[in-house]
Amino acid sequence: MAGKAKFDQEAAFRSIIGETAGGTEKTEQKPQEKPQAAGKGRPKAEREIKKRVSLALYPSSYGDLQKIAYVDRKSVSDIVSELIAEYVAAHADKLKEYDKITKE
């Protein structure tokens, strides 16, 4: 059975500081860049960033919402976002009216 190899602390230190056996060696080390595969991940231009807001809800309503979210395997944030999107779509006429008012 072969014995364990001993750790050469001095050699490790020299390799870290860039020193060779004959003296110091100055080499410019460039940080290694991770290669990025083209076409992987979601394009940033198509992604809308969410805005964080605070809502005041009754504890009983929030508790029920959490239970519904658990059953639907969604987050409370996803459910609220969907409800707001539906509300905005249902009131598109008010958005047009707002645009008219603010253009005057």
Side-chain angles (χ1 to χ4, degrees), residues 5-6 8 13 20 27 29 34 51 70 75-76 83 97:
K6 289 192 175 184
D8 188 355
F13 179 73
T20 61
T27 58
Q29 295 181 354
K34 293 182 181 178
K51 180 174 177 74
Y70 181 82
S75 68
V76 171
L83 292 171
E97 185 178 343

Side-chain angles (χ1 to χ4, degrees), residues 36-50:
Q36 292 184 352
K40 292 210 174 189
R42 183 183 297 182
K44 291 185 180 185
E46 296 177 19
R47 183 174 169 187
E48 184 176 4
I49 298 172
K50 289 186 175 183

Side-chain angles (χ1 to χ4, degrees), residues 47-63:
R47 183 174 169 187
E48 184 176 4
I49 298 172
K50 289 186 175 183
K51 180 174 177 74
R52 185 176 299 267
V53 297
S54 283
L55 297 173
L57 302 172
Y58 292 110
S60 59
S61 297
Y62 184 71

Side-chain angles (χ1 to χ4, degrees), residues 7 34 44 53 69 72 74 78:
F7 176 72
K34 293 182 181 178
K44 291 185 180 185
V53 297
D72 288 346
K74 293 183 179 181
D78 287 341

Side-chain angles (χ1 to χ4, degrees), residues 14-103:
R14 283 193 303 268
S15 70
I16 292 170
I17 63 170
E19 186 176 306
T20 61
T24 58
E25 175 186 309
K26 291 188 177 182
T27 58
E28 187 176 321
Q29 295 181 354
K30 296 180 182 177
Q32 293 181 354
E33 295 180 14
K34 293 182 181 178
Q36 292 184 352
K40 292 210 174 189
R42 183 183 297 182
K44 291 185 180 185
E46 296 177 19
R47 183 174 169 187
E48 184 176 4
I49 298 172
K50 289 186 175 183
K51 180 174 177 74
R52 185 176 299 267
V53 297
S54 283
L55 297 173
L57 302 172
Y58 292 110
S60 59
S61 297
Y62 184 71
D64 290 342
L65 185 58
Q66 284 181 310
K67 292 172 186 174
I68 294 167
Y70 181 82
V71 170
D72 288 346
R73 295 179 183 244
K74 293 183 179 181
S75 68
V76 171
S77 177
D78 287 341
I79 291 175
V80 171
S81 294
E82 289 173 8
L83 292 171
I84 291 172
E86 289 172 14
Y87 184 85
V88 168
H91 295 87
D93 57 327
K94 292 183 181 180
L95 289 174
K96 290 178 185 176
E97 185 178 343
Y98 174 83
D99 288 339
K100 279 184 189 178
I101 293 170
T102 57
K103 285 183 182 178

